Amino acid sequence: MDMEHASPLGNGLGQLPDPVTSATAVVDVRGTVTGWSTGAQRLLGYPYEDVVGRPAARLLCCTADAPVDFSAILEGRSGATRLRHRDGHRMEAELRAYASLDREGGTQWLVVATPPHQSRPCQKPHPDKDDVTTEAAFAQCHLPVMIYDAQLRVLRGSAGAAHQLGLTERQMRGRRAADILPPHICTTIEAGMRRVFDTGKPEFFHVHGPPRPGGQGRFWAVTLSPVKNPAGKVRHVQLIALDDTEQHRARERLALLNDISTQVGKTLDVTRTAQEMADVAVGRLADFISIDLLDSLLRGFEPGPLCEDAIGLRRAAQQSVLPGVPESVIRPGDVDYYPESSPPARCLLTGLSSLHRTLDEAVESWQAADPRRAVKVRAFGMHSIMVVPLSARSLTLGVAVLIRHRRQDPFTEDDLLLAEEIAARAAVSVDNARRFTRERNTALALQRSLLPQRLAAQEAVEVAYRYLPARSRAGLGGDWFDVIPLSGARVALVVGDVVGHGLRASATMGRLRTAVRTLADVDLPPEELLVHLDDLIAHLGTEDGIVTDSELDVVTDFIATCLYVVYDPVSRRCTAAAAGHPPPAVVTPDGTADFIDLPVGPPLGVGGLPFEAVEWEVPRGSLLALYTDGLLEVPEHDLDKGMALLRRRLERPARSLEAQCDDLIETLLPSQPSDDVALLLARTRALDEGRVASWDLAPDPAAVAGARDEVSRRLAEWGLHEVSYTAELVVSELVTNAIRYGGPPIQLRLIRDNVLICEVSDGSSTAPHMRRARIFDEGGRGLLLVAQFAERWGTRQLPGGKSIWAEIGVQGQTG
């Protein structure tokens, strides 16, 4: 039986000695040693393993001829006995025996050996000097150190423990942790001590709270270590508590700064960035946070001088540990006015932060000037305030107010330094967001000015369109679209995309759109127009050199894609060519959608490669869908899957083209598209045969008069009497010019659209041009007259010659 399990039975011999400090042994009824204390080992030098299990008489005999009389000891008699130390020297000790029971209920004896000088009550003991020093060191230790027994009661406590608990060591002894520590701390510690007694392994954990009622909450690193006897059994538990408050707060500060760096400024939106700062810091540094910014920042402008008596700031963000942010006197987006003498106003004017208690004179005067805010201070028990400026690039952008009312400890200077660091990092993000907003607004204004403000009037197609700028950090792209009226009642539909983002991409887009309109006026076929556009981009690249996109910090050349489609409502045929652009989709009147098998040429800017056009017939009432890749290539899926989704959505019936545009945007795009999107839908129309008239003419000047008569009769049928004279004059000059300078075959065609179109084609490819006729010249004035009487005129090259056309206004005419 181990020494600590002995259960003494009263034998009238006095109180049982302390087995920890005395030299004791346990002897069973057979005289075998079953227990051996540290004191016995220290007295006689025999280790535990050399004694336990051996006969006590043989081990503890003093000499061979004078063995120890155990019968006298076990009968209760005692006296001085000569014993032999392990090293051989002899010594005397007084032996006493106490009867007890072992685990099975059998009799055993607890034998106590006491040197003679310790047994005499009149003689003071002479403790070892090392023991005295050790005892003094433990008693005076400034660290909280405590020793607990198996019943989890205090045996010893250091001076540090007494200081932290506010108790003397005498007051601590015999009390459990639950009698000394707060409930949540003692529960954790007692559970740990039980595990140490069960496993014999140390325990490490952290607890938080005041060590005594009314004290300040601290963070403690607690170590529970087992104290074992020579047999390896845990007899006691040692508790050491280290005040880890400053290290814990330092770790919290570093973690908060890291979260500010990683979680604030992700969206490049001013108000969202401010809200991210409030969300991260509330609860960890303050109970309530408000962030107010200069109103000009939210519009992307530079801050102006502050000269008002009451400074107005717009609430950008606020957050609280309480639901609904009840501490605030205004809502986000509203303007709050601060008196000039208030801490936020002084902070904004000076750019310096400040730390206050609500009893400070500055705060009390602020409350006197702002009764609404004073009511909130009293209602929520606000006691500590920090006011910190948001400054970046030597500009003060706003002010953050941090308040505590739930946490009892006030803000410290270290908290103010932390708040300044948080505000500085957040201010950089806010300033970046402001500059991004300003540049984006500038690029968006430029891009909108370069895109069509309203589409030109034409009768060939009914159109609807959408343009969505990108919402990503890369900025706006160079997507564009256009609808260009052409000669012969035709129309050109264009979509394009400049590779890259930012102002340069928008400017390049504007240059390309202007070039496309210029080339379209020349009436070039789609494939030839793309060749000229490709040459133009090559020239732009040569003039400007290699381009560095400042937004993305990458080096790119001028690269763009383009899709050019021409629709003729007379023949109901489309001709299209593409330069690195996705093909158009066509929805026939029966609701079937498909993509045109269009040879996709290289992107514009590659240079030196040809383009190929495709022509197909379009049924009346078909729908043409032109788009940029931003509509289809999104993080959720690639281009192929996007095209499949587009086809399915196009086959769904819609109330109108506008509704169909909205449906495509809502179903195919995320809420924050990462790329620009241009979408153009066109419902084709067809001109009835009754609105088109054509005549083949002989290459004879006499045919001019007949052509005039035919035109006059047809205009009368159409009810266009008021333009008959003008039309006859224009047709006369165009036919005469074709007969004189062109070649057969010659054909005259009238098209009644929103204007009257007169076309004369011939077999010569030589383009006419106006010239200034002298006074006595007999010719040279025909095209000049046409230009004066027609709204527009021009020349279009045909596969077998050319066509000269002129448009005459017919506003107010009915058919």
Side-chain angles (χ1 to χ4, degrees), residues 240-289:
I240 301 177
L242 298 178
D243 189 345
D244 193 41
T245 304
E246 292 306 318
Q247 292 85 343
H248 178 83
R249 290 176 178 172
R251 290 192 296 269
E252 282 189 329
R253 293 187 183 102
L254 290 175
L256 180 55
L257 288 176
N258 179 70
D259 291 343
I260 289 290
S261 300
T262 57
Q263 300 179 28
V264 176
K266 299 183 295 183
T267 61
L268 287 177
D269 178 85
V270 173
T271 56
R272 183 61 228 167
T273 299
Q275 188 62 51
E276 289 168 350
M277 171 188 168
D279 293 342
V280 173
V282 78
R284 302 168 68 176
L285 181 60
D287 298 324
F288 168 73
I289 297 177

Side-chain angles (χ1 to χ4, degrees), residues 518-775:
T518 302
L519 294 172
D521 283 343
V522 184
D523 257 330
L524 293 176
E527 66 274 19
E528 291 187 25
L529 183 142
L530 293 181
V531 170
H532 286 280
L533 204 59
D534 186 42
D535 292 339
L536 173 63
I537 289 189
H539 290 311
L540 292 178
T542 302
E543 293 174 0
D544 293 357
I546 296 179
V547 178
T548 301
D549 192 326
S550 59
E551 296 288 344
L552 297 177
D553 197 25
V554 297
V555 178
T556 61
D557 296 320
F558 280 113
I559 299 292
T561 67
C562 183
L563 173 63
Y564 188 82
V565 179
V566 175
Y567 172 65
D568 187 346
V570 177
S571 64
R572 299 195 308 275
R573 298 190 69 81
C574 269
T575 306
H581 203 88
V586 178
V587 184
T588 56
D590 63 0
T592 302
D594 203 354
F595 295 96
I596 298 300
D597 187 11
L598 183 65
V600 180
L604 301 174
V606 175
L609 297 175
F611 299 94
E612 184 178 349
V614 170
E615 184 176 348
W616 72 97
E617 185 173 352
V618 181
R620 182 197 302 263
S622 296
L623 178 66
L624 300 175
L626 288 72
Y627 50 90
T628 56
D629 58 1
L631 180 68
L632 306 181
E633 287 187 302
V634 296
E636 288 76 13
H637 52 74
D638 56 12
L639 181 62
D640 292 337
K641 186 175 180 181
M643 292 178 68
L645 292 174
L646 175 61
R647 174 188 295 170
R648 289 199 295 269
R649 299 307 300 185
L650 286 174
E651 290 179 342
R652 296 170 62 93
R655 299 187 310 273
S656 63
L657 290 185
E658 295 292 337
Q660 195 153 27
C661 279
D662 292 336
D663 176 71
L664 294 176
I665 294 298
E666 292 173 3
T667 56
L668 297 180
L669 290 179
S671 58
Q672 298 288 332
S674 58
D675 195 7
D676 286 27
V677 175
L679 172 64
L680 180 61
L681 299 182
R683 180 83 64 188
T684 62
R685 295 167 177 163
L687 293 179
D688 297 332
E689 294 181 358
R691 299 176 64 180
V692 180
S694 60
W695 301 271
D696 293 327
L697 304 178
D700 185 352
V704 175
R708 284 198 302 266
D709 293 339
E710 294 289 347
V711 169
S712 178
R713 283 193 296 270
R714 183 52 59 95
L715 292 181
E717 294 175 5
W718 287 345
L720 302 178
H721 302 283
E722 293 184 5
V723 298
S724 179
Y725 175 77
T726 302
E728 290 179 27
L729 177 61
V730 169
V731 167
S732 177
E733 292 298 333
L734 293 181
V735 172
T736 300
N737 192 72
I739 293 173
R740 180 177 298 178
Y741 301 106
I746 299 174
Q747 185 183 63
L748 168 63
R749 185 169 73 161
L750 295 183
I751 301 174
R752 182 190 170 193
D753 197 16
N754 57 349
V755 294
L756 178 64
I757 303 172
C758 305
E759 291 184 346
V760 177
S761 59
D762 64 77
S764 174
S765 60
T766 302
H769 60 278
M770 287 192 301
R771 62 184 178 89
R772 182 177 298 278
R774 295 183 178 88
I775 296 177

Side-chain angles (χ1 to χ4, degrees), residues 1 18 36 140 171 228 279 306 365 514 563 570 664:
M1 177 176 179
D18 185 358
W36 188 250
Q140 299 175 26
Q171 292 172 325
K228 301 180 180 180
D279 293 342
L306 300 173
S365 62
T514 302
L563 173 63
V570 177
L664 294 176

Side-chain angles (χ1 to χ4, degrees), residues 132-145 156-163 169:
V132 173
T133 303
T134 302
E135 175 63 25
F138 178 86
Q140 299 175 26
C141 178
H142 71 282
L143 294 177
V145 181
R156 296 296 309 275
S158 68
H163 173 73
E169 185 179 15

Side-chain angles (χ1 to χ4, degrees), residues 27-29 31 69-77 97 109-111:
V27 182
D28 61 15
V29 293
D69 185 4
F70 270 98
S71 60
I73 297 174
L74 298 181
E75 290 174 1
R77 300 190 300 274
W109 296 89
L110 177 65
V111 180

Side-chain angles (χ1 to χ4, degrees), residues 255-460:
L256 180 55
L257 288 176
N258 179 70
D259 291 343
I260 289 290
S261 300
T262 57
Q263 300 179 28
V264 176
K266 299 183 295 183
T267 61
L268 287 177
D269 178 85
V270 173
T271 56
R272 183 61 228 167
T273 299
Q275 188 62 51
E276 289 168 350
M277 171 188 168
D279 293 342
V280 173
V282 78
R284 302 168 68 176
L285 181 60
D287 298 324
F288 168 73
I289 297 177
S290 66
I291 300 176
D292 299 329
L293 300 177
L294 295 173
D295 191 46
S296 58
L297 292 178
L298 302 177
R299 300 192 302 271
F301 302 141
E302 292 283 342
L306 300 173
C307 56
E308 300 179 6
D309 293 337
I311 297 176
L313 296 174
R314 191 170 296 278
R315 180 61 50 87
Q318 58 187 22
Q319 191 55 273
S320 169
V321 294
L322 302 178
V325 196
E327 305 96 325
S328 178
V329 297
I330 63 172
R331 296 174 300 178
D334 294 343
V335 176
D336 197 5
Y337 292 93
Y338 294 98
E340 186 179 4
S341 60
S342 65
R346 301 307 306 167
C347 173
L348 194 66
L349 293 171
T350 63
L352 301 176
S353 57
S354 56
L355 178 62
H356 304 274
R357 300 298 297 270
T358 52
L359 299 179
D360 292 352
E361 181 180 353
V363 178
E364 288 187 339
S365 62
W366 180 17
Q367 295 182 61
D370 193 342
R372 288 192 308 161
R373 193 166 269 110
V375 171
K376 296 287 187 179
V377 170
R378 291 190 296 270
F380 291 95
M382 301 177 184
H383 60 84
S384 190
I385 301 173
M386 289 192 298
V387 183
V388 184
L390 274 71
S391 301
R393 298 190 306 114
S394 301
L395 296 175
T396 301
L397 312 176
V399 61
V401 178
L402 297 87
I403 295 176
R404 281 184 180 175
H405 55 77
R406 284 293 180 268
R407 295 174 62 172
Q408 297 304 313
D409 48 321
F411 289 120
T412 64
E413 291 294 335
D414 289 340
D415 294 326
L416 184 61
L417 292 175
L418 176 61
E420 290 174 343
E421 181 66 22
I422 292 173
R425 298 190 183 192
V428 172
S429 298
V430 168
D431 189 54
N432 289 339
R434 175 192 67 83
R435 296 171 67 186
F436 171 79
T437 299
R438 182 185 62 185
E439 294 182 9
R440 186 176 185 278
N441 290 341
T442 301
L444 187 59
L446 172 62
Q447 195 167 41
R448 286 175 175 169
S449 68
L450 297 175
L451 289 171
Q453 304 303 306
R454 62 183 182 86
L455 298 181
Q458 47 81 35
E459 295 294 327

Side-chain angles (χ1 to χ4, degrees), residues 471-491:
R471 301 291 298 176
S472 66
R473 181 182 181 275
L476 298 176
D479 292 18
W480 90 94
F481 66 92
D482 211 343
V483 178
I484 307 171
L486 301 177
S487 63
R490 298 169 304 136
V491 64

